[in-house]
PDB file of all heavy atoms in Angstrom:
ATOM      1  N   SER A   1     -41.013  27.997 -23.657  1.00 62.00           N
ATOM      2  CA  SER A   1     -42.205  27.193 -23.501  1.00 62.00           C
ATOM      3  C   SER A   1     -42.105  26.257 -22.299  1.00 62.00           C
ATOM      4  O   SER A   1     -43.107  25.725 -21.833  1.00 62.00           O
ATOM      5  CB  SER A   1     -42.453  26.368 -24.771  1.00 62.00           C
ATOM      6  OG  SER A   1     -41.345  25.526 -25.038  1.00 62.00           O
ATOM      7  N   GLY A   2     -40.896  26.017 -21.797  1.00 87.00           N
ATOM      8  CA  GLY A   2     -40.692  25.146 -20.652  1.00 87.00           C
ATOM      9  C   GLY A   2     -40.059  25.900 -19.509  1.00 87.00           C
ATOM     10  O   GLY A   2     -39.854  27.113 -19.567  1.00 87.00           O
ATOM     11  N   PRO A   3     -39.739  25.179 -18.433  1.00 93.00           N
ATOM     12  CA  PRO A   3     -39.120  25.842 -17.283  1.00 93.00           C
ATOM     13  C   PRO A   3     -37.722  26.354 -17.602  1.00 93.00           C
ATOM     14  O   PRO A   3     -36.995  25.745 -18.395  1.00 93.00           O
ATOM     15  CB  PRO A   3     -39.082  24.735 -16.222  1.00 93.00           C
ATOM     16  CG  PRO A   3     -39.102  23.461 -16.994  1.00 93.00           C
ATOM     17  CD  PRO A   3     -39.928  23.737 -18.216  1.00 93.00           C
ATOM     18  N   ALA A   4     -37.354  27.461 -16.977  1.00 95.00           N
ATOM     19  CA  ALA A   4     -35.989  27.964 -17.124  1.00 95.00           C
ATOM     20  C   ALA A   4     -35.006  27.066 -16.383  1.00 95.00           C
ATOM     21  O   ALA A   4     -33.877  26.847 -16.831  1.00 95.00           O
ATOM     22  CB  ALA A   4     -35.895  29.392 -16.602  1.00 95.00           C
ATOM     23  N   ILE A   5     -35.450  26.544 -15.236  1.00 96.00           N
ATOM     24  CA  ILE A   5     -34.633  25.632 -14.432  1.00 96.00           C
ATOM     25  C   ILE A   5     -35.472  24.406 -14.102  1.00 96.00           C
ATOM     26  O   ILE A   5     -36.613  24.528 -13.649  1.00 96.00           O
ATOM     27  CB  ILE A   5     -34.160  26.304 -13.127  1.00 96.00           C
ATOM     28  CG1 ILE A   5     -33.314  27.549 -13.424  1.00 96.00           C
ATOM     29  CG2 ILE A   5     -33.383  25.320 -12.254  1.00 96.00           C
ATOM     30  CD1 ILE A   5     -32.989  28.370 -12.189  1.00 96.00           C
ATOM     31  N   ARG A   6     -34.905  23.258 -14.357  1.00 96.00           N
ATOM     32  CA  ARG A   6     -35.601  22.011 -14.031  1.00 96.00           C
ATOM     33  C   ARG A   6     -34.636  21.089 -13.293  1.00 96.00           C
ATOM     34  O   ARG A   6     -33.524  20.837 -13.753  1.00 96.00           O
ATOM     35  CB  ARG A   6     -36.109  21.312 -15.296  1.00 96.00           C
ATOM     36  CG  ARG A   6     -36.802  19.980 -15.034  1.00 96.00           C
ATOM     37  CD  ARG A   6     -37.295  19.332 -16.322  1.00 96.00           C
ATOM     38  NE  ARG A   6     -37.872  18.038 -16.059  1.00 96.00           N
ATOM     39  CZ  ARG A   6     -37.172  16.900 -16.009  1.00 96.00           C
ATOM     40  NH1 ARG A   6     -35.863  16.923 -16.215  1.00 96.00           N
ATOM     41  NH2 ARG A   6     -37.776  15.749 -15.752  1.00 96.00           N
ATOM     42  N   VAL A   7     -35.067  20.603 -12.138  1.00 95.00           N
ATOM     43  CA  VAL A   7     -34.257  19.715 -11.307  1.00 95.00           C
ATOM     44  C   VAL A   7     -35.094  18.485 -10.981  1.00 95.00           C
ATOM     45  O   VAL A   7     -36.231  18.617 -10.528  1.00 95.00           O
ATOM     46  CB  VAL A   7     -33.824  20.419 -10.001  1.00 95.00           C
ATOM     47  CG1 VAL A   7     -33.122  19.445  -9.073  1.00 95.00           C
ATOM     48  CG2 VAL A   7     -32.920  21.598 -10.310  1.00 95.00           C
ATOM     49  N   ALA A   8     -34.542  17.304 -11.228  1.00 95.00           N
ATOM     50  CA  ALA A   8     -35.266  16.062 -10.979  1.00 95.00           C
ATOM     51  C   ALA A   8     -34.368  15.083 -10.231  1.00 95.00           C
ATOM     52  O   ALA A   8     -33.376  14.595 -10.777  1.00 95.00           O
ATOM     53  CB  ALA A   8     -35.744  15.443 -12.300  1.00 95.00           C
ATOM     54  N   GLU A   9     -34.709  14.830  -8.972  1.00 95.00           N
ATOM     55  CA  GLU A   9     -33.978  13.870  -8.133  1.00 95.00           C
ATOM     56  C   GLU A   9     -32.473  14.138  -8.133  1.00 95.00           C
ATOM     57  O   GLU A   9     -31.651  13.222  -8.201  1.00 95.00           O
ATOM     58  CB  GLU A   9     -34.263  12.433  -8.592  1.00 95.00           C
ATOM     59  CG  GLU A   9     -35.672  11.960  -8.324  1.00 95.00           C
ATOM     60  CD  GLU A   9     -36.006  11.951  -6.822  1.00 95.00           C
ATOM     61  OE1 GLU A   9     -35.131  11.532  -6.034  1.00 95.00           O
ATOM     62  OE2 GLU A   9     -37.103  12.370  -6.458  1.00 95.00           O
ATOM     63  N   LEU A  10     -32.121  15.406  -8.053  1.00 94.00           N
ATOM     64  CA  LEU A  10     -30.716  15.799  -8.099  1.00 94.00           C
ATOM     65  C   LEU A  10     -30.023  15.394  -6.800  1.00 94.00           C
ATOM     66  O   LEU A  10     -30.538  15.626  -5.709  1.00 94.00           O
ATOM     67  CB  LEU A  10     -30.608  17.303  -8.308  1.00 94.00           C
ATOM     68  CG  LEU A  10     -29.225  17.859  -8.656  1.00 94.00           C
ATOM     69  CD1 LEU A  10     -28.754  17.324 -10.002  1.00 94.00           C
ATOM     70  CD2 LEU A  10     -29.254  19.381  -8.666  1.00 94.00           C
ATOM     71  N   ARG A  11     -28.834  14.814  -6.946  1.00 93.00           N
ATOM     72  CA  ARG A  11     -28.083  14.340  -5.790  1.00 93.00           C
ATOM     73  C   ARG A  11     -26.617  14.748  -5.904  1.00 93.00           C
ATOM     74  O   ARG A  11     -26.067  14.830  -7.004  1.00 93.00           O
ATOM     75  CB  ARG A  11     -28.154  12.805  -5.661  1.00 93.00           C
ATOM     76  CG  ARG A  11     -29.543  12.223  -5.641  1.00 93.00           C
ATOM     77  CD  ARG A  11     -29.498  10.710  -5.495  1.00 93.00           C
ATOM     78  NE  ARG A  11     -28.985  10.343  -4.181  1.00 93.00           N
ATOM     79  CZ  ARG A  11     -29.740  10.175  -3.100  1.00 93.00           C
ATOM     80  NH1 ARG A  11     -31.052  10.344  -3.180  1.00 93.00           N
ATOM     81  NH2 ARG A  11     -29.204   9.848  -1.941  1.00 93.00           N
ATOM     82  N   LYS A  12     -26.005  14.981  -4.753  1.00 94.00           N
ATOM     83  CA  LYS A  12     -24.563  15.192  -4.704  1.00 94.00           C
ATOM     84  C   LYS A  12     -24.024  14.558  -3.435  1.00 94.00           C
ATOM     85  O   LYS A  12     -24.433  14.908  -2.320  1.00 94.00           O
ATOM     86  CB  LYS A  12     -24.207  16.684  -4.732  1.00 94.00           C
ATOM     87  CG  LYS A  12     -22.690  16.945  -4.726  1.00 94.00           C
ATOM     88  CD  LYS A  12     -21.996  16.362  -5.942  1.00 94.00           C
ATOM     89  CE  LYS A  12     -20.505  16.605  -5.916  1.00 94.00           C
ATOM     90  NZ  LYS A  12     -19.827  15.996  -7.090  1.00 94.00           N
ATOM     91  N   THR A  13     -23.115  13.607  -3.617  1.00 91.00           N
ATOM     92  CA  THR A  13     -22.514  12.899  -2.504  1.00 91.00           C
ATOM     93  C   THR A  13     -21.021  13.178  -2.480  1.00 91.00           C
ATOM     94  O   THR A  13     -20.341  13.053  -3.502  1.00 91.00           O
ATOM     95  CB  THR A  13     -22.752  11.387  -2.619  1.00 91.00           C
ATOM     96  OG1 THR A  13     -24.161  11.125  -2.663  1.00 91.00           O
ATOM     97  CG2 THR A  13     -22.147  10.645  -1.434  1.00 91.00           C
ATOM     98  N   PHE A  14     -20.521  13.582  -1.315  1.00 89.00           N
ATOM     99  CA  PHE A  14     -19.101  13.807  -1.128  1.00 89.00           C
ATOM    100  C   PHE A  14     -18.503  12.653  -0.335  1.00 89.00           C
ATOM    101  O   PHE A  14     -19.127  12.138   0.604  1.00 89.00           O
ATOM    102  CB  PHE A  14     -18.843  15.123  -0.372  1.00 89.00           C
ATOM    103  CG  PHE A  14     -19.207  16.353  -1.136  1.00 89.00           C
ATOM    104  CD1 PHE A  14     -20.406  17.013  -0.900  1.00 89.00           C
ATOM    105  CD2 PHE A  14     -18.349  16.872  -2.096  1.00 89.00           C
ATOM    106  CE1 PHE A  14     -20.737  18.160  -1.599  1.00 89.00           C
ATOM    107  CE2 PHE A  14     -18.674  18.016  -2.800  1.00 89.00           C
ATOM    108  CZ  PHE A  14     -19.868  18.657  -2.558  1.00 89.00           C
ATOM    109  N   ARG A  15     -17.305  12.258  -0.698  1.00 84.00           N
ATOM    110  CA  ARG A  15     -16.571  11.258   0.079  1.00 84.00           C
ATOM    111  C   ARG A  15     -15.589  11.995   0.977  1.00 84.00           C
ATOM    112  O   ARG A  15     -14.687  12.679   0.499  1.00 84.00           O
ATOM    113  CB  ARG A  15     -15.854  10.282  -0.850  1.00 84.00           C
ATOM    114  CG  ARG A  15     -15.054   9.209  -0.136  1.00 84.00           C
ATOM    115  CD  ARG A  15     -14.782   8.046  -1.045  1.00 84.00           C
ATOM    116  NE  ARG A  15     -16.020   7.353  -1.380  1.00 84.00           N
ATOM    117  CZ  ARG A  15     -16.079   6.310  -2.206  1.00 84.00           C
ATOM    118  NH1 ARG A  15     -14.978   5.860  -2.789  1.00 84.00           N
ATOM    119  NH2 ARG A  15     -17.246   5.730  -2.457  1.00 84.00           N
ATOM    120  N   VAL A  16     -15.765  11.845   2.271  1.00 79.00           N
ATOM    121  CA  VAL A  16     -14.961  12.601   3.227  1.00 79.00           C
ATOM    122  C   VAL A  16     -14.159  11.642   4.098  1.00 79.00           C
ATOM    123  O   VAL A  16     -14.599  10.522   4.396  1.00 79.00           O
ATOM    124  CB  VAL A  16     -15.843  13.494   4.121  1.00 79.00           C
ATOM    125  CG1 VAL A  16     -16.589  14.509   3.284  1.00 79.00           C
ATOM    126  CG2 VAL A  16     -16.832  12.658   4.929  1.00 79.00           C
ATOM    127  N   PRO A  17     -12.943  12.033   4.509  1.00 76.00           N
ATOM    128  CA  PRO A  17     -12.126  11.158   5.353  1.00 76.00           C
ATOM    129  C   PRO A  17     -12.669  11.066   6.768  1.00 76.00           C
ATOM    130  O   PRO A  17     -13.268  12.007   7.284  1.00 76.00           O
ATOM    131  CB  PRO A  17     -10.751  11.829   5.324  1.00 76.00           C
ATOM    132  CG  PRO A  17     -11.039  13.264   5.041  1.00 76.00           C
ATOM    133  CD  PRO A  17     -12.245  13.269   4.151  1.00 76.00           C
ATOM    134  N   VAL A  18     -12.449   9.927   7.390  1.00 76.00           N
ATOM    135  CA  VAL A  18     -12.866   9.698   8.771  1.00 76.00           C
ATOM    136  C   VAL A  18     -11.632   9.294   9.569  1.00 76.00           C
ATOM    137  O   VAL A  18     -10.890   8.384   9.175  1.00 76.00           O
ATOM    138  CB  VAL A  18     -13.921   8.583   8.859  1.00 76.00           C
ATOM    139  CG1 VAL A  18     -14.291   8.314  10.315  1.00 76.00           C
ATOM    140  CG2 VAL A  18     -15.158   8.948   8.050  1.00 76.00           C
ATOM    141  N   ARG A  19     -11.399   9.970  10.679  1.00 70.00           N
ATOM    142  CA  ARG A  19     -10.255   9.628  11.516  1.00 70.00           C
ATOM    143  C   ARG A  19     -10.614   9.855  12.973  1.00 70.00           C
ATOM    144  O   ARG A  19     -11.227  10.855  13.326  1.00 70.00           O
ATOM    145  CB  ARG A  19      -9.031  10.484  11.153  1.00 70.00           C
ATOM    146  CG  ARG A  19      -7.790  10.135  11.971  1.00 70.00           C
ATOM    147  CD  ARG A  19      -6.574  10.918  11.501  1.00 70.00           C
ATOM    148  NE  ARG A  19      -6.661  12.334  11.784  1.00 70.00           N
ATOM    149  CZ  ARG A  19      -6.383  12.869  12.980  1.00 70.00           C
ATOM    150  NH1 ARG A  19      -6.064  12.104  14.005  1.00 70.00           N
ATOM    151  NH2 ARG A  19      -6.453  14.180  13.128  1.00 70.00           N
ATOM    152  N   GLY A  20     -10.253   8.908  13.811  1.00 70.00           N
ATOM    153  CA  GLY A  20     -10.497   9.038  15.233  1.00 70.00           C
ATOM    154  C   GLY A  20      -9.518  10.000  15.879  1.00 70.00           C
ATOM    155  O   GLY A  20      -8.582  10.504  15.246  1.00 70.00           O
ATOM    156  N   GLU A  21      -9.709  10.223  17.164  1.00 74.00           N
ATOM    157  CA  GLU A  21      -8.843  11.138  17.901  1.00 74.00           C
ATOM    158  C   GLU A  21      -7.571  10.422  18.353  1.00 74.00           C
ATOM    159  O   GLU A  21      -7.514   9.205  18.506  1.00 74.00           O
ATOM    160  CB  GLU A  21      -9.583  11.690  19.118  1.00 74.00           C
ATOM    161  CG  GLU A  21     -10.823  12.498  18.775  1.00 74.00           C
ATOM    162  CD  GLU A  21     -11.530  13.005  20.010  1.00 74.00           C
ATOM    163  OE1 GLU A  21     -11.066  12.675  21.128  1.00 74.00           O
ATOM    164  OE2 GLU A  21     -12.525  13.712  19.873  1.00 74.00           O
ATOM    165  N   GLY A  22      -6.536  11.199  18.536  1.00 72.00           N
ATOM    166  CA  GLY A  22      -5.319  10.667  19.124  1.00 72.00           C
ATOM    167  C   GLY A  22      -4.242  10.352  18.118  1.00 72.00           C
ATOM    168  O   GLY A  22      -4.468  10.275  16.909  1.00 72.00           O
ATOM    169  N   LEU A  23      -3.027  10.153  18.638  1.00 76.00           N
ATOM    170  CA  LEU A  23      -1.856   9.909  17.812  1.00 76.00           C
ATOM    171  C   LEU A  23      -1.942   8.586  17.079  1.00 76.00           C
ATOM    172  O   LEU A  23      -1.561   8.478  15.909  1.00 76.00           O
ATOM    173  CB  LEU A  23      -0.595   9.939  18.696  1.00 76.00           C
ATOM    174  CG  LEU A  23       0.740   9.772  17.976  1.00 76.00           C
ATOM    175  CD1 LEU A  23       0.933  10.868  16.941  1.00 76.00           C
ATOM    176  CD2 LEU A  23       1.876   9.758  18.986  1.00 76.00           C
ATOM    177  N   ARG A  24      -2.476   7.559  17.737  1.00 75.00           N
ATOM    178  CA  ARG A  24      -2.580   6.248  17.096  1.00 75.00           C
ATOM    179  C   ARG A  24      -3.488   6.300  15.876  1.00 75.00           C
ATOM    180  O   ARG A  24      -3.179   5.740  14.825  1.00 75.00           O
ATOM    181  CB  ARG A  24      -3.100   5.217  18.089  1.00 75.00           C
ATOM    182  CG  ARG A  24      -3.276   3.821  17.493  1.00 75.00           C
ATOM    183  CD  ARG A  24      -3.655   2.814  18.547  1.00 75.00           C
ATOM    184  NE  ARG A  24      -2.577   2.645  19.529  1.00 75.00           N
ATOM    185  CZ  ARG A  24      -2.644   1.813  20.567  1.00 75.00           C
ATOM    186  NH1 ARG A  24      -3.739   1.083  20.760  1.00 75.00           N
ATOM    187  NH2 ARG A  24      -1.635   1.705  21.407  1.00 75.00           N
ATOM    188  N   ALA A  25      -4.613   6.979  16.010  1.00 68.00           N
ATOM    189  CA  ALA A  25      -5.539   7.104  14.882  1.00 68.00           C
ATOM    190  C   ALA A  25      -4.900   7.898  13.750  1.00 68.00           C
ATOM    191  O   ALA A  25      -5.095   7.581  12.573  1.00 68.00           O
ATOM    192  CB  ALA A  25      -6.837   7.773  15.340  1.00 68.00           C
ATOM    193  N   ALA A  26      -4.116   8.928  14.093  1.00 70.00           N
ATOM    194  CA  ALA A  26      -3.454   9.719  13.065  1.00 70.00           C
ATOM    195  C   ALA A  26      -2.447   8.879  12.308  1.00 70.00           C
ATOM    196  O   ALA A  26      -2.331   8.954  11.080  1.00 70.00           O
ATOM    197  CB  ALA A  26      -2.776  10.933  13.697  1.00 70.00           C
ATOM    198  N   ALA A  27      -1.682   8.033  13.038  1.00 72.00           N
ATOM    199  CA  ALA A  27      -0.703   7.177  12.385  1.00 72.00           C
ATOM    200  C   ALA A  27      -1.380   6.134  11.506  1.00 72.00           C
ATOM    201  O   ALA A  27      -0.926   5.836  10.389  1.00 72.00           O
ATOM    202  CB  ALA A  27       0.173   6.505  13.448  1.00 72.00           C
ATOM    203  N   ALA A  28      -2.484   5.567  11.998  1.00 70.00           N
ATOM    204  CA  ALA A  28      -3.204   4.550  11.216  1.00 70.00           C
ATOM    205  C   ALA A  28      -3.752   5.132   9.925  1.00 70.00           C
ATOM    206  O   ALA A  28      -3.791   4.457   8.888  1.00 70.00           O
ATOM    207  CB  ALA A  28      -4.331   3.968  12.064  1.00 70.00           C
ATOM    208  N   SER A  29      -4.173   6.404   9.966  1.00 69.00           N
ATOM    209  CA  SER A  29      -4.748   7.016   8.769  1.00 69.00           C
ATOM    210  C   SER A  29      -3.708   7.222   7.681  1.00 69.00           C
ATOM    211  O   SER A  29      -4.050   7.354   6.502  1.00 69.00           O
ATOM    212  CB  SER A  29      -5.401   8.362   9.124  1.00 69.00           C
ATOM    213  OG  SER A  29      -4.422   9.320   9.490  1.00 69.00           O
ATOM    214  N   LEU A  30      -2.423   7.249   8.057  1.00 72.00           N
ATOM    215  CA  LEU A  30      -1.376   7.371   7.050  1.00 72.00           C
ATOM    216  C   LEU A  30      -1.233   6.095   6.235  1.00 72.00           C
ATOM    217  O   LEU A  30      -0.836   6.121   5.069  1.00 72.00           O
ATOM    218  CB  LEU A  30      -0.038   7.700   7.723  1.00 72.00           C
ATOM    219  CG  LEU A  30       0.046   9.053   8.431  1.00 72.00           C
ATOM    220  CD1 LEU A  30       1.390   9.180   9.146  1.00 72.00           C
ATOM    221  CD2 LEU A  30      -0.149  10.194   7.439  1.00 72.00           C
ATOM    222  N   VAL A  31      -1.563   4.969   6.861  1.00 73.00           N
ATOM    223  CA  VAL A  31      -1.452   3.672   6.194  1.00 73.00           C
ATOM    224  C   VAL A  31      -2.736   3.313   5.464  1.00 73.00           C
ATOM    225  O   VAL A  31      -2.729   2.884   4.315  1.00 73.00           O
ATOM    226  CB  VAL A  31      -1.106   2.571   7.219  1.00 73.00           C
ATOM    227  CG1 VAL A  31      -1.007   1.203   6.526  1.00 73.00           C
ATOM    228  CG2 VAL A  31       0.184   2.910   7.939  1.00 73.00           C
ATOM    229  N   ARG A  32      -3.842   3.510   6.154  1.00 75.00           N
ATOM    230  CA  ARG A  32      -5.142   3.156   5.565  1.00 75.00           C
ATOM    231  C   ARG A  32      -6.150   4.239   5.924  1.00 75.00           C
ATOM    232  O   ARG A  32      -6.557   4.341   7.077  1.00 75.00           O
ATOM    233  CB  ARG A  32      -5.608   1.801   6.081  1.00 75.00           C
ATOM    234  CG  ARG A  32      -6.936   1.365   5.491  1.00 75.00           C
ATOM    235  CD  ARG A  32      -7.359   0.019   6.048  1.00 75.00           C
ATOM    236  NE  ARG A  32      -8.653  -0.386   5.527  1.00 75.00           N
ATOM    237  CZ  ARG A  32      -9.301  -1.490   5.892  1.00 75.00           C
ATOM    238  NH1 ARG A  32      -8.755  -2.300   6.802  1.00 75.00           N
ATOM    239  NH2 ARG A  32     -10.470  -1.787   5.375  1.00 75.00           N
ATOM    240  N   ARG A  33      -6.524   5.006   4.956  1.00 76.00           N
ATOM    241  CA  ARG A  33      -7.468   6.098   5.201  1.00 76.00           C
ATOM    242  C   ARG A  33      -8.895   5.596   5.028  1.00 76.00           C
ATOM    243  O   ARG A  33      -9.239   5.032   3.983  1.00 76.00           O
ATOM    244  CB  ARG A  33      -7.209   7.258   4.246  1.00 76.00           C
ATOM    245  CG  ARG A  33      -8.272   8.346   4.301  1.00 76.00           C
ATOM    246  CD  ARG A  33      -7.838   9.611   3.598  1.00 76.00           C
ATOM    247  NE  ARG A  33      -6.772  10.280   4.327  1.00 76.00           N
ATOM    248  CZ  ARG A  33      -6.333  11.501   4.015  1.00 76.00           C
ATOM    249  NH1 ARG A  33      -6.857  12.153   2.997  1.00 76.00           N
ATOM    250  NH2 ARG A  33      -5.365  12.047   4.720  1.00 76.00           N
ATOM    251  N   GLU A  34      -9.690   5.817   6.041  1.00 77.00           N
ATOM    252  CA  GLU A  34     -11.099   5.452   5.977  1.00 77.00           C
ATOM    253  C   GLU A  34     -11.913   6.665   5.523  1.00 77.00           C
ATOM    254  O   GLU A  34     -11.597   7.808   5.864  1.00 77.00           O
ATOM    255  CB  GLU A  34     -11.591   4.976   7.342  1.00 77.00           C
ATOM    256  CG  GLU A  34     -10.930   3.703   7.821  1.00 77.00           C
ATOM    257  CD  GLU A  34     -11.522   3.224   9.130  1.00 77.00           C
ATOM    258  OE1 GLU A  34     -12.543   3.811   9.568  1.00 77.00           O
ATOM    259  OE2 GLU A  34     -10.965   2.276   9.721  1.00 77.00           O
ATOM    260  N   THR A  35     -12.948   6.384   4.775  1.00 79.00           N
ATOM    261  CA  THR A  35     -13.830   7.452   4.288  1.00 79.00           C
ATOM    262  C   THR A  35     -15.282   7.052   4.488  1.00 79.00           C
ATOM    263  O   THR A  35     -15.599   5.880   4.734  1.00 79.00           O
ATOM    264  CB  THR A  35     -13.595   7.741   2.792  1.00 79.00           C
ATOM    265  OG1 THR A  35     -13.907   6.558   2.034  1.00 79.00           O
ATOM    266  CG2 THR A  35     -12.159   8.157   2.527  1.00 79.00           C
ATOM    267  N   ARG A  36     -16.138   8.047   4.366  1.00 82.00           N
ATOM    268  CA  ARG A  36     -17.582   7.791   4.360  1.00 82.00           C
ATOM    269  C   ARG A  36     -18.241   8.740   3.384  1.00 82.00           C
ATOM    270  O   ARG A  36     -17.701   9.803   3.062  1.00 82.00           O
ATOM    271  CB  ARG A  36     -18.184   7.978   5.753  1.00 82.00           C
ATOM    272  CG  ARG A  36     -18.153   9.401   6.285  1.00 82.00           C
ATOM    273  CD  ARG A  36     -18.626   9.451   7.725  1.00 82.00           C
ATOM    274  NE  ARG A  36     -18.545  10.798   8.275  1.00 82.00           N
ATOM    275  CZ  ARG A  36     -19.587  11.630   8.357  1.00 82.00           C
ATOM    276  NH1 ARG A  36     -20.780  11.255   7.928  1.00 82.00           N
ATOM    277  NH2 ARG A  36     -19.431  12.851   8.862  1.00 82.00           N
ATOM    278  N   ASP A  37     -19.398   8.341   2.911  1.00 83.00           N
ATOM    279  CA  ASP A  37     -20.149   9.162   1.967  1.00 83.00           C
ATOM    280  C   ASP A  37     -21.113  10.070   2.716  1.00 83.00           C
ATOM    281  O   ASP A  37     -21.814   9.631   3.641  1.00 83.00           O
ATOM    282  CB  ASP A  37     -20.935   8.282   0.990  1.00 83.00           C
ATOM    283  CG  ASP A  37     -20.017   7.553   0.017  1.00 83.00           C
ATOM    284  OD1 ASP A  37     -18.866   8.005  -0.150  1.00 83.00           O
ATOM    285  OD2 ASP A  37     -20.445   6.542  -0.568  1.00 83.00           O
ATOM    286  N   VAL A  38     -21.133  11.320   2.318  1.00 85.00           N
ATOM    287  CA  VAL A  38     -22.036  12.307   2.917  1.00 85.00           C
ATOM    288  C   VAL A  38     -22.907  12.899   1.818  1.00 85.00           C
ATOM    289  O   VAL A  38     -22.400  13.426   0.826  1.00 85.00           O
ATOM    290  CB  VAL A  38     -21.246  13.435   3.621  1.00 85.00           C
ATOM    291  CG1 VAL A  38     -22.198  14.506   4.133  1.00 85.00           C
ATOM    292  CG2 VAL A  38     -20.431  12.872   4.767  1.00 85.00           C
ATOM    293  N   ASP A  39     -24.209  12.782   1.986  1.00 88.00           N
ATOM    294  CA  ASP A  39     -25.155  13.331   1.011  1.00 88.00           C
ATOM    295  C   ASP A  39     -25.383  14.810   1.290  1.00 88.00           C
ATOM    296  O   ASP A  39     -26.045  15.170   2.263  1.00 88.00           O
ATOM    297  CB  ASP A  39     -26.492  12.592   1.067  1.00 88.00           C
ATOM    298  CG  ASP A  39     -26.387  11.164   0.569  1.00 88.00           C
ATOM    299  OD1 ASP A  39     -25.528  10.923  -0.294  1.00 88.00           O
ATOM    300  OD2 ASP A  39     -27.146  10.311   1.044  1.00 88.00           O
TER     301      ASP A  39
END
């Protein structure tokens, strides 16, 4: 009597690491890893 599939304001956000280029950025990421959210 209703829909087979119903989706309402469905969201999925991934948290991904962020690191700059170069050896210094690679070393810094070992101590403190920065992340950002991606929808």
Side-chain angles (χ1 to χ4, degrees):
S1 59
I5 300 171
R6 178 180 176 273
V7 173
E9 291 299 318
L10 192 64
R11 306 181 67 89
K12 182 62 181 178
T13 302
F14 293 100
R15 180 160 293 178
V16 298
V18 177
R19 182 175 69 81
E21 298 179 357
L23 183 59
R24 178 174 295 180
S29 68
L30 295 175
V31 179
R32 181 181 178 183
R33 172 167 291 189
E34 295 184 8
T35 62
R36 66 186 177 99
D37 290 340
V38 175
D39 292 330

